[in-house]
Amino acid sequence: MSRRARTAVYVELGRRRAFAGSLDWPGWCRSGKGEEAALETLAAYADRYAPVAAEAGIRFPADAGETLRVVERLPGGSTTDFGAPQAIAGADRRPLSRKEAERHAALVEASWAVFDRVVATAPATLRKGPRGGGRDRDAIVDHVLGAEAGYARTLGVRHRQPARDDTAAVTALRDAIAAALRMPSTGEPLTPKGWPPRYAARRIAWHVLDHAWEIEDKSA
């Protein structure tokens, strides 16, 4: 198997958990109790990520989960231990061509499409955790929209959190985010104290898909 076909990933290491993410496939990220577990989970989720790439019209290698190659390790923190990405990789500050930016934006938009389909077919009441914890469907949707409004500000986009049934407002927020992600850049944040576009695309898509998969799992 050629080196070109390998899937470049980064790993951030917290005290109790690790987080692994693909550098070229925004949203394909998972955590685990240590690097090995995080990488194993990331590989296991390749089949769940494949429909996102298909939605975007981008070929996803059938062996992507079998060819993971760690190219960067980063120190994590409390957010990592919570199971979410925290660290910005050095690779995230690479210049972003228009072609790459359009690809990343397409994958983020595909993540939204997958999320919306999952929500549309999910029951309003989701299966709870072993201690009765966890949000139901509409609460998760509200949470995702609130997070997106916050994430948008890291790209210089300022929208209020839309109501989940306000289709026009949801579309306006997402269109503004996608437009910002489509812009070629030097790799530096688009606004002071913001996120590099590569990182923003990964973080936004990860959050959307993490909750889409949560809804799927708790609908069963």
Side-chain angles (χ1 to χ4, degrees):
M1 190 166 298
S2 70
R3 184 172 294 274
R4 288 186 306 168
R6 294 182 181 176
T7 305
V9 302
Y10 77 99
V11 176
E12 58 181 87
L13 300 164
R15 294 179 63 186
R16 296 184 299 278
R17 297 187 70 83
F19 192 90
S22 167
L23 288 168
D24 298 317
W25 296 98
W28 184 23
C29 313
R30 302 314 295 161
S31 68
K33 293 182 178 180
E35 178 176 327
E36 183 176 352
L39 290 170
E40 287 177 355
T41 306
L42 182 68
Y45 269 69
D47 288 344
R48 295 187 82 169
Y49 186 83
V52 179
E55 178 72 29
I58 300 172
R59 179 183 171 275
F60 186 70
D63 62 350
E66 302 170 11
T67 58
L68 303 182
R69 179 168 62 99
V70 178
V71 298
E72 194 168 352
R73 289 180 174 85
L74 306 163
S78 59
T79 302
T80 315
D81 287 334
F82 186 70
Q86 175 177 343
I88 295 175
D92 290 332
R93 298 189 183 277
R94 291 175 295 165
L96 193 63
S97 69
R98 182 172 296 279
K99 183 177 180 180
E100 286 182 295
E102 289 178 349
R103 179 181 179 276
H104 284 194
L107 288 165
V108 172
E109 290 178 316
S111 300
W112 287 324
V114 168
F115 179 80
D116 289 346
R117 281 202 299 269
V118 169
V119 170
T121 59
T125 301
L126 301 178
R127 180 168 49 82
K128 300 298 185 289
R131 297 184 180 180
R135 289 173 287 221
D136 286 324
R137 181 198 63 198
D138 291 349
I140 291 176
V141 174
D142 289 339
H143 166 70
V144 169
L145 291 173
E148 285 177 3
Y151 294 162
R153 289 192 284 274
T154 71
L155 292 166
V157 173
R158 295 190 175 276
H159 280 243
R160 291 184 177 180
Q161 177 180 341
R164 62 178 176 275
D165 58 353
D166 189 341
T167 302
V170 172
T171 299
L173 171 61
R174 290 175 172 178
D175 284 351
I177 292 172
L181 291 174
R182 280 196 173 87
M183 295 172 57
S185 78
T186 63
E188 293 303 311
L190 303 181
T191 188
K193 298 183 180 180
W195 290 340
R198 290 179 187 272
Y199 177 82
R202 183 169 67 249
R203 180 69 178 263
I204 292 167
W206 162 76
H207 193 247
V208 171
L209 292 173
D210 188 57
H211 287 296
W213 295 332
E214 175 191 5
I215 292 172
E216 283 184 330
D217 291 345
K218 292 183 177 179
S219 296

